[in-house]
Amino acid sequence: MALTFPNTSRSYDETARRVRFLGHDGMFEVKFFVEIGALPKIVSRAPSEADCLAAFDSARNAVHDVARKAYGRDHRDSYVLTEAHFK
């Protein structure tokens, strides 16, 4: 099966400074985390939770594409997407 993102929920982890979201491969849940430095439109050194979630929402399609590419290389149950993944 292909990796899909049927659940649009996402959350912000302030301690780790990243946004969490879920993907699904059939019945398997895959956790993804995207570091806030990888999100476009983050210009503040100390962005708020709302800033981070808005940046994620505006880049959602690109983030999902990068997540699919990472998952396609090796099927794990969690991934941390960094700036390097988006280059």
Side-chain angles (χ1 to χ4, degrees):
M1 295 208 79
L3 184 68
T4 62
F5 302 94
N7 184 346
T8 59
S9 295
R10 74 283 187 268
S11 60
Y12 179 61
D13 179 347
E14 186 172 1
T15 303
R17 297 178 46 87
R18 59 191 186 184
V19 176
R20 178 183 191 266
F21 64 102
L22 298 174
H24 293 273
D25 184 359
M27 62 185 269
F28 298 103
E29 185 175 87
V30 184
K31 295 181 249 2
F32 288 93
F33 305 90
V34 60
E35 294 180 345
I36 62 168
L39 294 171
K41 299 185 181 178
I42 295 291
V43 294
S44 170
R45 296 198 66 153
S48 70
E49 176 178 350
D51 293 336
C52 294
L53 294 177
F56 176 88
D57 290 342
S58 70
R60 186 181 297 268
N61 290 335
V63 171
H64 287 175
D65 290 344
V66 169
R68 283 186 192 95
K69 188 175 179 181
Y71 183 74
R73 285 189 213 116
D74 60 344
H75 290 47
R76 298 182 311 204
D77 63 354
S78 68
Y79 296 83
V80 176
L81 304 176
T82 66
E83 285 184 72
H85 288 97
F86 290 83
K87 293 183 180 184

